[in-house]
Amino acid sequence: MTKSLGNPFSHKTDLRHGAGCGCDACSTSQAFSADDPNTMSSDDMMERVVENAIVRSMFGQNDISRRSFMGLVGGTSFAAALASVFPVDKAKAAILDTLGKPEKTDLNIGFVPITCATPIIMAQPMGFYEKHGLNAQVIKTAGWAVARDKSLNGEYDASHMLTPMPLAMTLGAGSVAEPYIMPAVENINGQAIVLSNEHKDKRDPKDWKGFTFGVPFEYSMHNFLLRYYVAEHGIDPDTDIQIRVVPPPEMVANLRAGNLDGYLSPDPFNQRAVWEGIGFIHVLTKEIWEGHPCCAFACPLSFAEELPNTYGALLKSIVDATQYASNPENRKEIAEAISPTNYLNQPVPVVEQVLTGTYADGLGEVKQVPDRIDFDPFPWHSMGVWILTQMKRWGYIEGDVDYKKVAEDVYLAADCAKIMKDLGYEAPDVTYESYTIMGKSFDPAEPEAYVDSFDIKRA
């Protein structure tokens, strides 16, 4: 169903929740203050989007102040006064000329309900898609296999994906081969290893032989980080433990039922296990690799080639939302926006603990880790190379791999850097960097030597 565009000059429109929001606070007011895209021309729609951007820039994210002011002076009077001192029409023309009209404005974007998807999710209720001329619907998806298949089938224009997925899909690992691109990372850090409360006496990974662990998908940072972590402690992940693929929303129930001894999962399900009193946080993944990537925004290469303006507007929306999420001062507001049933379906305090980094660990302590999860859109080519080395290490890909070419074909760092600069953010001027992961150095220029350096591997 096509949703409406909020009128920025109306005190009845809640622009924080975006056009067509179905919450109780907006359902009545939007009906009286919104425009129906089905009766608007594309020019009218773009002008309304630009008006939203101009008014938002004046009031910032404080929509309550905007609504109070519009109610006090009247939206029509304010629009007229604004036009008398500010060249609104010229601003509209300049912005529209710069943006280029999206060839397609109605988009379906898949997401799995986890905090790693924060920018993609919040961009709908907080108006970032609308700001950049799009009427995007974010669609909750049960798990990663479903997200992959719906994307391959064309049901989704773009999707929230795990950073290894577009690499695997491009190479045909686990699915048919189709060129995919990943122009933006969603989050860095943001995962944890959780153990059942039954194992509080087994904090040393060397005691985990025979354990069963859950990960959300084979082609995931969760799988590769869990494998890396246990292997560094002398545990072979293919023979000493079992690793099962479990959709994130089912992690807690499986832990409670005893089907899993632990999991390396995206949040909020690590914190939810603590909230439910059935598990504890053994280690945050940032302690394994500080600043590691996890989730991303990805789409078929054909989408960017066939709809370049739409692709540009969508990437701009995602990068803009990601940068907003990177500010710790915005995290409580974001937690409230993404917790409702149609998004994460989680208690707000659970999501707040994840996003703010002030959280109970399940062992009797309250931790203060502000960057437990963070948000940085830049898709480093070196991150792609590292992921490919782990796919090679564990037998997910075989034969010769052109690590550099694959990483650069899929991780579109140049596109992200351009958008970041267009939005006024700083972007790195290089695309490769070295990492230290559990004390072991990774040089992206020597990927095969890195694979060969591990004692426990399949390659």
Side-chain angles (χ1 to χ4, degrees):
M1 183 178 73
T2 303
K3 293 189 176 182
S4 301
L5 296 174
N7 182 350
F9 300 113
S10 171
H11 69 282
K12 295 180 179 180
T13 306
D14 191 334
L15 296 182
R16 295 173 303 173
H17 293 188
C21 178
C23 77
D24 292 340
C26 295
S27 58
T28 302
S29 63
Q30 295 279 355
F32 296 101
S33 60
D35 301 314
D36 184 354
N38 293 316
T39 63
M40 298 174 72
S41 69
S42 59
D43 286 345
D44 289 340
M45 289 179 66
M46 284 302 296
E47 288 196 4
R48 176 44 49 87
V49 169
V50 172
E51 288 173 350
N52 268 268
I54 292 171
V55 173
R56 283 175 185 273
S57 70
M58 299 180 69
F59 289 90
Q61 293 296 323
N62 193 338
D63 200 59
I64 295 175
S65 293
R66 180 196 63 82
R67 295 175 69 183
S68 298
F69 186 78
M70 295 301 175
L72 180 65
V73 304
T76 302
S77 298
F78 175 76
L82 177 63
S84 69
V85 297
F86 183 80
V88 177
D89 290 338
K90 290 183 179 179
K92 287 180 184 178
I95 294 173
L96 292 174
D97 183 62
T98 300
L99 287 176
K101 296 177 183 177
E103 301 87 352
K104 177 182 180 181
T105 56
D106 293 346
L107 301 176
N108 291 324
I109 303 172
F111 76 93
V112 175
I114 59 178
T115 51
C116 302
T118 289
I120 286 175
I121 299 171
M122 62 176 266
Q124 182 172 15
M126 298 181 73
F128 286 91
Y129 295 126
E130 180 186 353
K131 174 181 175 182
H132 295 289
L134 300 173
N135 178 42
Q137 311 299 308
V138 292
I139 302 171
K140 187 186 292 189
T141 309
W144 297 112
V146 176
R148 176 195 62 198
D149 294 345
K150 285 182 176 290
S151 183
L152 287 169
N153 292 337
E155 295 178 54
Y156 294 159
D157 296 287
S159 185
H160 161 214
M161 288 189 178
L162 301 158
T163 46
M165 287 176 64
L167 296 167
M169 294 163 75
T170 297
L171 293 172
S175 68
V176 297
E178 181 170 333
Y180 264 69
I181 56 174
M182 195 193 87
V185 170
E186 289 299 285
N187 72 295
I188 57 176
N189 300 330
Q191 330 300 315
I193 295 177
V194 164
L195 294 179
S196 167
N197 282 341
E198 296 179 1
H199 300 311
K200 287 184 177 180
D201 61 337
K202 295 183 176 65
R203 305 292 301 281
D204 188 337
K206 293 177 182 178
D207 296 330
W208 293 356
K209 286 189 176 182
F211 276 22
T212 299
F213 283 90
V215 296
F217 198 56
E218 281 193 303
Y219 300 96
S220 69
M221 286 297 295
H222 313 82
N223 183 26
F224 298 140
L225 288 174
L226 177 63
R227 287 172 170 272
Y228 192 104
Y229 182 74
V230 298
E232 288 299 296
H233 287 89
I235 298 291
D236 189 316
D238 290 318
T239 59
D240 293 332
I241 62 174
Q242 292 186 44
I243 299 178
R244 296 179 182 172
V245 172
V246 179
E250 299 176 18
M251 290 284 191
V252 174
N254 275 276
L255 192 70
R256 180 185 291 108
N259 299 326
L260 299 174
D261 295 287
Y263 51 72
L264 200 160
S265 168
D267 270 307
F269 301 104
N270 304 308
Q271 201 59 47
R272 187 63 188 262
V274 176
W275 177 269
E276 298 285 347
I278 60 172
F280 65 95
I281 294 174
H282 168 73
V283 66
L284 299 178
T285 51
K286 74 180 292 292
E287 299 172 58
I288 301 172
W289 175 5
E290 175 64 59
H292 72 80
C294 183
C295 288
F297 160 69
C299 63
L301 176 61
S302 58
F303 175 79
E305 291 178 335
E306 295 168 10
L307 303 169
N309 292 343
T310 300
Y311 164 73
L314 183 53
L315 179 54
K316 188 168 287 189
S317 303
I318 297 298
V319 171
D320 206 1
T322 304
Q323 293 288 7
Y324 187 80
S326 70
N327 186 343
E329 295 179 1
N330 299 329
R331 301 284 176 84
K332 287 190 176 182
E333 174 194 11
I334 293 169
E336 187 173 353
I338 67 176
S339 293
T341 305
N342 54 326
Y343 300 128
L344 296 186
N345 191 27
Q346 294 289 329
V348 172
V350 171
V351 180
E352 272 192 14
Q353 287 185 69
V354 175
L355 294 185
T356 64
T358 298
Y359 65 95
D361 66 357
L363 295 169
E365 293 189 33
V366 174
K367 300 285 190 178
Q368 300 279 346
V369 186
D371 58 349
R372 171 179 174 168
I373 187 171
D374 212 343
F375 302 94
D376 183 345
F378 193 72
W380 291 87
H381 291 143
S382 46
M383 290 178 172
V385 172
W386 186 87
I387 291 169
L388 290 167
T389 66
Q390 299 309 293
M391 291 171 67
K392 180 71 176 291
R393 175 187 182 183
W394 301 114
Y396 290 97
I397 52 178
E398 299 177 349
D400 295 334
V401 179
D402 192 337
Y403 297 91
K404 185 174 185 289
K405 182 179 188 305
V406 175
E408 292 181 6
D409 284 350
V410 177
Y411 284 21
L412 300 190
D415 285 12
C416 187
K418 180 182 184 303
I419 294 296
M420 290 175 73
K421 292 173 182 175
D422 287 348
L423 291 170
Y425 305 119
E426 292 185 6
D429 55 7
V430 295
T431 64
Y432 287 90
E433 59 182 358
S434 298
Y435 307 115
T436 300
I437 305 169
M438 294 183 70
K440 188 178 182 69
S441 296
F442 166 67
D443 180 354
E446 300 290 341
E448 282 294 346
Y450 185 68
V451 174
D452 292 340
S453 71
F454 294 103
D455 293 330
I456 300 177
K457 58 181 180 290
R458 301 284 85 81

